[in-house]
């Protein structure tokens, strides 16, 4: 039977194959058996991370190339990480490189008698698993109703947290993962606002609602013209540790 392999090509600004990349401008990688190439990311140092599956969608596959198209053997010892999480039907589908160089790969892992679950793996720069990420380098997200879920895309927020687009088949969802405590966050929060000197300070609203990852604002004014300078401070009294309050809003 015919095998399917990873293939990557680099073009010049004129749209021609770049001969400085693997001498021919393209690289074909036979990972093992029938392979599927799903996503790639370019690191600041010019190395290229490719992700997909191998052995007819049975195993998760991640490989890294040097800027010249050759295999980067400093990654995982031989340039390749093939992972079989449980038994079969594991595949990586999305990759993002954090500002510190660590690599986050998302996809799915099949759990017998459960189904395919969204899985994230974080690698150190050398291709080893980053055990500071959920204790062993691997995080499995909750399985929605339906028995199938897979990460389709991953983004890194300014604060370093991860945003994951999830394929729940036939629906989609978005998760945010705190990379410090790996908490999975979604939905919205209700915020109560109270003036501690209500007879002197008036706030525009006694309550606000905001979604995870968003901001909202309220205004504060004095009930009467003061006879001297007045300083009004805003602060969080209690609630979600991720919630911050400042002069610019919540």
């Amino acid at each position: 039977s015919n095998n399917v392999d990873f293939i990557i090509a680099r073009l010049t600004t004129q749209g021609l194959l770049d001969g400085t990349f693997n001498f021919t401008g393209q690289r074909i990688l036979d990972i093992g058996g029938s392979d599927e190439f799903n996503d790639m990311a370019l690191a600041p140092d010019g190395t290229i991370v490719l992700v997909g599956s191998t052995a007819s969608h049975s195993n998760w596959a991640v490989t890294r190339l040097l800027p010249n198209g050759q295999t980067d053997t400093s990654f995982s010892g031989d340039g390749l990480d093939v992972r079989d999480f449980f038994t079969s039907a594991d595949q990586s589908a999305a990759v993002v490189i954090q500002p510190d160089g660590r690599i986050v790969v998302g996809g799915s892992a099949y759990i017998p008698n459960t189904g395919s679950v969204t899985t994230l793996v974080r690698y150190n720069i050398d291709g080893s698993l980053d055990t500071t990420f959920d204790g062993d380098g691997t995080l499995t997200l909750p399985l929605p109703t339906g028995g199938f879920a897979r990460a389709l895309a991953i983004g890194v927020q300014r604060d370093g947290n991860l945003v994951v687009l999830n394929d729940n088949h036939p629906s989609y969802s978005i998760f945010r993962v705190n990379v410090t405590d790996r908490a999975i966050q979604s939905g919205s929060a209700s915020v109560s606002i109270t003036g501690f000197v209500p007879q002197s300070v008036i706030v525009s609203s006694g309550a606000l609602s905001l979604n995870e990852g968003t901001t909202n604002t309220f205004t504060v004014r004095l009930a009467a013209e003061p006879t001297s300078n007045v300083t009004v401070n805003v602060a969080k009294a209690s609630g979600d540790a991720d919630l911050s309050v400042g002069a610019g809003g919540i």
Side-chain angles (χ1 to χ4, degrees):
S1 61
N2 295 327
N3 286 336
V4 179
D5 300 322
F6 282 22
I7 183 169
I8 179 174
R10 188 166 70 194
L11 305 181
T12 66
T13 55
Q14 290 77 35
L16 303 175
L17 289 172
D18 182 357
T20 66
F21 184 80
N22 196 40
F23 305 106
T24 62
Q26 59 185 340
R27 176 76 189 276
I28 298 175
L29 298 99
D30 184 1
I31 307 298
S34 184
D35 309 318
E36 182 177 270
F37 171 36
N38 290 323
D39 196 15
M40 62 176 286
L42 181 65
D45 63 0
T47 55
I48 308 162
V49 179
L50 312 177
V51 303
S53 63
T54 186
S56 299
H57 306 286
S58 294
N59 297 326
W60 169 293
V62 180
T63 188
R64 189 167 70 192
L65 304 181
L66 295 169
N68 63 6
Q70 299 299 301
T71 299
D72 182 0
T73 56
S74 70
F75 180 81
S76 193
D78 60 358
L80 175 67
D81 180 65
V82 174
R83 196 161 294 278
D84 183 1
F85 290 99
F86 297 100
T87 55
S88 64
D90 305 323
Q91 57 179 308
S92 51
V95 58
V96 69
I97 299 176
Q98 296 182 179
D100 61 7
R102 286 182 289 185
I103 302 162
V104 181
V105 179
S108 62
Y110 181 79
I111 301 177
N113 302 317
T114 299
S116 292
V117 297
T118 295
T119 303
L120 301 179
V121 175
R122 188 162 72 180
Y123 297 88
N124 293 308
I125 296 176
D126 63 2
S128 62
L129 292 182
D130 178 8
T131 55
T132 67
F133 185 73
D134 206 42
D136 60 0
T138 302
L139 173 66
T140 299
L141 300 183
L143 182 67
T145 302
F148 176 88
R150 177 180 62 171
L152 289 182
I154 310 171
V156 180
Q157 293 183 306
R158 291 181 181 178
D159 60 6
N161 289 333
L162 304 173
V163 177
V164 181
L165 172 63
N166 211 41
D167 176 10
N168 302 326
H169 190 68
S171 61
Y172 298 87
S173 61
I174 295 177
F175 289 96
R176 188 174 70 180
V177 180
N178 185 306
V179 296
T180 301
D181 59 20
R182 282 79 61 194
I184 301 168
Q185 305 164 341
S186 62
S188 62
S190 178
V191 180
S192 297
I193 304 169
T194 303
F196 284 99
V197 191
Q199 69 274 18
S200 301
V201 177
I202 299 174
V203 294
S204 60
S205 177
L208 291 176
S209 179
L210 64 159
N211 294 322
E212 289 284 355
T214 64
T215 63
N216 208 335
T217 60
F218 62 92
T219 59
V220 177
R221 64 181 177 87
L222 299 178
E225 183 177 349
T227 57
S228 60
N229 292 336
V230 175
T231 299
V232 177
N233 295 317
V234 293
K236 182 179 70 175
S238 61
D240 193 327
D242 292 332
L243 182 66
S244 61
V245 179
I250 296 178

